[in-house]
Amino acid sequence: MILLLSSATYLENKGFLMHHTTSNSDLKYGLSGLATAPIGYLVLLFLPVYLEVVGISLALTEQQIGWLASTDSIGLVIATFVFSIFIKRVNFRKALIAGVVITVLGNLISALVTDFLLLCIIRSLTGLGEGIIVAVGISAIGMTSNPNRWFGFYTAAIVVVQAIGLVLVPIIYDSMSLSGVFVAMAVFYIFPLIVIKLLPRKSDDYKSAQGVVTDQSKPSKQTNKLLNLGLLSLLFFYMSIGGVWTYVSIMGTSSGLTLSFVSQALSLAMIAGLAGALFFALIGDIGKNIGLLFISIVVMTLSIWVLNSGLTDMRYLVAMCIFSFFWSIAGARLFAVISDVDHSGKYISAAQTVVGVGYILGPILASTLVKGVGYTDVIIMGSLLFSLCFIVILPLARFKKS
């Protein structure tokens, strides 16, 4: 009897310590990921107004704007892909330092360049650093025990950074020209170093934090196939986002809205996006409902069709707010679906490669569809890709519900 009571006490204490350790690691990994990955996506988050000011400064055509929109993503794709392959060997903290150095230098050099081709090359190289920062941060979030919740908070952090940038970029451009915008971004990329000590050192740190003492069995072939479908779904989603987001500012200004109003409207839309992200983070298991993802995709599709013609200030603002609210929900859920199945960081890191590919292919495809001042074909493209995204994610989403 005494032995049984002692054993029970030991197991209870051990369980408490494991729970405490898991909660502590969740907080560290989650917060460090929130302060890191969104900064890596800086250029992609600022994309509409960033492209607008670069296009004005360098007198770019709409096709050149589409190509420029893809340049940072090229480096980001390469970096996140390599990271996902060698993730078990990478020291996350050293990798973050390397990523910060590359991005800071790349942006400072960009401030000195006026040639379009040379700028594209530099931005592609800068994207390597951006990709490293993203991969480190997103892997840390993927190691948490409740990724559905943390990816909701991650999306909220993305929206906050995005809102700040959409407000500041036009202001900085007006006062310090394009070079000032690049210098300001260089400063932003230093911020992740503040949380470097909270990051995990390597990809399997989550095992000791959650009390896993033996290697997890390898995912089955069926699970790998479903995860690959999840990555394909992300590709379709971010091809659509990349293509539409590239021209969403220009859609407004070409309809007679001022750049100042458009940037402010997009910033206000980010507040709606923040609300969507927090809503998703707080609703718990309800967020896993396939119906919520379906509604989000449908409403996003309807919102971009509002931009097709007859834009007024209020119509543009409302459409962007609704779009951003449901973008946050859909984006967070797509990441969480993958991370729920794979805690090692391999697939969620590979997901960032897929996001980058989407941001490369989307703007390029959209740039070939732009006709004069019409953007109908771009909107059709976005609608079809959103539909494919939902269809392809269904097997993995259903697998998680069973």
Side-chain angles (χ1 to χ4, degrees), residues 176-328:
M176 294 186 287
S177 74
L178 182 60
S179 60
V181 173
F182 285 121
V183 171
M185 287 197 295
V187 173
F188 261 97
Y189 281 113
I190 299 174
F191 288 171
L193 295 179
I194 297 173
V195 297
I196 190 168
K197 291 185 178 181
L198 298 180
L199 286 168
R201 293 183 181 274
K202 52 188 185 301
S203 66
D204 59 357
D205 279 4
Y206 78 96
K207 293 182 179 180
S208 58
Q210 297 181 19
V212 179
V213 296
T214 58
D215 290 337
Q216 292 180 325
S217 59
K218 292 183 179 180
S220 65
K221 289 184 179 180
Q222 178 191 9
T223 303
N224 282 332
K225 288 180 180 178
L226 293 176
L227 285 167
N228 288 331
L229 283 177
L231 295 179
L232 182 60
S233 175
L234 270 180
L235 175 64
F236 291 143
F237 185 79
Y238 281 97
M239 280 182 66
S240 180
I241 292 292
V244 173
W245 196 237
T246 295
Y247 290 101
V248 74
S249 175
I250 301 174
M251 287 180 191
T253 55
S254 66
S255 296
L257 308 183
T258 65
L259 175 58
S260 176
F261 173 80
V262 167
S263 65
Q264 291 172 12
L266 292 175
S267 299
L268 290 173
M270 293 307 100
I271 297 176
L274 176 60
L278 293 176
F279 169 78
F280 180 80
L282 297 175
I283 60 176
D285 288 342
I286 298 175
K288 297 181 180 181
N289 192 299
I290 294 176
L292 179 61
L293 181 60
F294 174 75
I295 291 172
S296 299
I297 294 293
V298 170
V299 175
M300 288 176 69
T301 302
L302 294 176
S303 297
I304 61 176
W305 275 101
V306 173
L307 305 178
N308 193 40
S309 62
L311 277 182
T312 62
D313 287 0
M314 184 55 64
R315 188 171 181 175
Y316 183 83
L317 174 61
V318 171
M320 287 293 90
C321 285
I322 294 174
F323 180 83
S324 296
F325 182 90
F326 287 97
W327 173 5
S328 293

Side-chain angles (χ1 to χ4, degrees), residues 134-193:
V134 167
V136 168
I138 210 72
S139 296
I141 296 174
M143 291 179 194
T144 59
S145 61
N146 189 355
N148 209 64
R149 179 187 181 193
W150 279 105
F151 275 111
F153 289 134
Y154 163 71
T155 305
I158 284 278
V159 172
V160 170
V161 173
Q162 197 167 31
I164 293 172
L166 291 172
V167 170
L168 289 183
V169 169
I171 295 174
I172 295 172
Y173 176 73
D174 288 340
S175 59
M176 294 186 287
S177 74
L178 182 60
S179 60
V181 173
F182 285 121
V183 171
M185 287 197 295
V187 173
F188 261 97
Y189 281 113
I190 299 174
F191 288 171
L193 295 179

Side-chain angles (χ1 to χ4, degrees), residues 14-239:
K14 184 178 179 182
F16 171 78
L17 290 173
M18 286 173 60
H19 174 74
H20 177 72
T21 302
T22 300
S23 298
N24 189 44
S25 64
D26 260 23
L27 189 60
K28 290 195 300 182
Y29 296 170
L31 291 178
S32 60
L34 295 184
T36 302
I39 299 299
Y41 276 128
L42 212 58
V43 171
L44 300 185
L45 298 179
F46 297 177
L47 204 60
V49 292
Y50 163 75
L51 293 174
E52 187 101 33
V53 298
V54 175
I56 293 172
S57 297
L58 303 184
L60 303 181
T61 66
E62 289 186 326
Q63 283 67 37
Q64 286 177 317
I65 289 174
W67 282 97
L68 179 63
S70 302
T71 53
D72 285 76
S73 295
I74 292 173
L76 190 148
V77 163
I78 295 172
T80 51
F81 178 70
V82 173
F83 191 96
S84 66
I85 293 175
F86 297 103
I87 188 170
K88 292 186 179 297
R89 303 179 187 178
V90 175
N91 183 305
F92 284 14
R93 299 178 184 182
K94 292 181 179 179
L96 178 62
I97 293 173
V100 169
V101 170
I102 293 171
T103 50
V104 169
L105 289 177
N107 279 285
L108 293 178
I109 295 172
S110 297
L112 305 174
V113 174
T114 56
D115 179 76
F116 172 71
L117 180 58
L118 181 58
L119 180 62
C120 286
I121 294 172
I122 293 171
R123 295 315 307 173
S124 297
L125 295 175
T126 305
L128 292 172
E130 296 167 17
I132 294 172
I133 295 173
V134 167
V136 168
I138 210 72
S139 296
I141 296 174
M143 291 179 194
T144 59
S145 61
N146 189 355
N148 209 64
R149 179 187 181 193
W150 279 105
F151 275 111
F153 289 134
Y154 163 71
T155 305
I158 284 278
V159 172
V160 170
V161 173
Q162 197 167 31
I164 293 172
L166 291 172
V167 170
L168 289 183
V169 169
I171 295 174
I172 295 172
Y173 176 73
D174 288 340
S175 59
M176 294 186 287
S177 74
L178 182 60
S179 60
V181 173
F182 285 121
V183 171
M185 287 197 295
V187 173
F188 261 97
Y189 281 113
I190 299 174
F191 288 171
L193 295 179
I194 297 173
V195 297
I196 190 168
K197 291 185 178 181
L198 298 180
L199 286 168
R201 293 183 181 274
K202 52 188 185 301
S203 66
D204 59 357
D205 279 4
Y206 78 96
K207 293 182 179 180
S208 58
Q210 297 181 19
V212 179
V213 296
T214 58
D215 290 337
Q216 292 180 325
S217 59
K218 292 183 179 180
S220 65
K221 289 184 179 180
Q222 178 191 9
T223 303
N224 282 332
K225 288 180 180 178
L226 293 176
L227 285 167
N228 288 331
L229 283 177
L231 295 179
L232 182 60
S233 175
L234 270 180
L235 175 64
F236 291 143
F237 185 79
Y238 281 97
M239 280 182 66

